[in-house]
Amino acid sequence: MAILSWGKCSLRTIPSVGGAPSSSGSWTALDTPKEDTTKLVPTAGTEKTATEEGGGIVDFKVAKTTYQLEFNLFVKKGYSRPFDDNDGVIDGEHAFRVIPEDNSCEGIQIDRAVVRCEESFSTADGIMLHYVCKCLIPAEGKTVKPYTEGGLALDKYELFFSGAADTTGKTVSATSTGNVSASSNQSWCTVTTAAKVTTVKVSANSDSSQRVAYVTITADGKSAIVKVTQIPQ
């Protein structure tokens, strides 16, 4: 069993509808990419610095990081191309999962992306399809989400709370055949479950810094972890 999310990966895709993976249909497995071509490329957000006379920094702001997923596919005899393109332009929006060789290790899920194809030819590789998937802001959560194929599938893996107590809570839904159970590793973060939904509540954060709890959700013999972050009041 691996410790790292490396090795031969698997790719899956499904249309993205309303900023999220389509709830109808199933994820389609793509052919195995060319070795060492699958990568998630981050671009650091723009930095903005406010300086006063003399060069002293008054304030500093960083925009969010953006991402694109890239991979190369060989054009093999008898295999169909995964996307139809018009001179590289591919219609619609698409969701992707990248699953490590050891699927109990953490992979990634991209809920929403636009895709283009760059086709090339060489005698070394034959026809090569280079796909660039520009990640877009999803309906919920981060642009790039953790996904574990061997774990329990959740609709979100991170929750964020303000410093005030939240007695209503925020919910996490699991994809499972049976009901779920949940536990928290911090007393200030409490959980309750009903069928396939876990509700997470927090007490007020009187500390001077943010705090983090981890909620473990279990069903069907699988589990997944939700990171809960609360800023100070």
Side-chain angles (χ1 to χ4, degrees):
M1 180 175 291
I3 296 175
L4 302 178
S5 303
W6 60 4
K8 178 182 176 181
C9 69
S10 301
L11 293 175
R12 296 181 186 170
T13 187
I14 195 171
S16 180
V17 180
S22 175
S23 58
S24 61
S26 58
W27 289 79
T28 301
L30 301 182
D31 194 20
T32 302
K34 181 182 178 182
E35 186 175 20
D36 296 333
T37 63
T38 305
K39 55 186 177 181
L40 181 68
V41 182
T43 300
T46 303
E47 298 180 354
K48 295 182 179 180
T49 304
T51 56
E52 62 185 5
E53 294 289 357
I57 297 176
V58 177
D59 206 350
F60 180 77
K61 182 178 181 181
V62 180
K64 291 182 178 180
T65 300
T66 58
Y67 301 89
Q68 66 183 32
L69 174 68
E70 300 181 14
F71 55 93
N72 290 6
L73 298 182
F74 293 104
V75 176
K76 300 176 182 177
K77 184 185 296 185
Y79 279 74
S80 299
R81 300 187 183 207
F83 305 100
D84 292 326
D85 72 276
N86 183 3
D87 289 335
V89 177
I90 297 170
D91 291 337
E93 296 181 353
H94 306 267
F96 291 90
R97 284 175 177 167
V98 182
I99 303 166
E101 184 172 5
D102 181 347
N103 68 4
S104 64
C105 290
E106 183 179 297
I108 62 175
Q109 178 169 309
I110 298 163
D111 286 357
R112 183 183 176 218
V114 291
V115 186
R116 73 174 189 267
C117 177
E118 300 168 359
E119 183 172 338
S120 63
F121 171 82
S122 70
T123 54
D125 293 326
I127 297 175
M128 181 65 61
L129 304 176
H130 176 61
Y131 288 100
V132 178
C133 313
K134 191 69 175 179
C135 305
L136 305 177
I137 297 173
E140 286 188 343
K142 290 184 175 182
T143 303
V144 178
K145 298 177 169 66
Y147 172 77
T148 304
E149 176 77 4
L152 183 66
L154 306 176
D155 67 337
K156 56 185 77 74
Y157 294 86
E158 285 190 279
L159 296 175
F160 298 90
F161 289 88
S162 66
D166 189 331
T167 56
T168 301
K170 298 183 179 182
T171 61
V172 178
S173 298
T175 301
S176 63
T177 57
N179 294 341
V180 303
S181 60
S183 62
S184 169
N185 72 335
Q186 298 293 335
S187 59
W188 54 266
C189 175
T190 59
V191 294
T192 56
T193 60
K196 301 177 184 180
V197 178
T198 298
T199 301
V200 181
K201 301 178 183 180
V202 297
S203 60
N205 184 6
S206 57
D207 297 338
S208 59
S209 59
Q210 74 175 26
R211 56 187 182 181
V212 175
Y214 293 94
V215 172
T216 301
I217 300 176
T218 303
D220 300 342
K222 301 178 180 180
S223 63
I225 294 176
V226 177
K227 182 180 179 182
V228 180
T229 303
Q230 185 183 29
I231 63 173
Q233 286 185 300

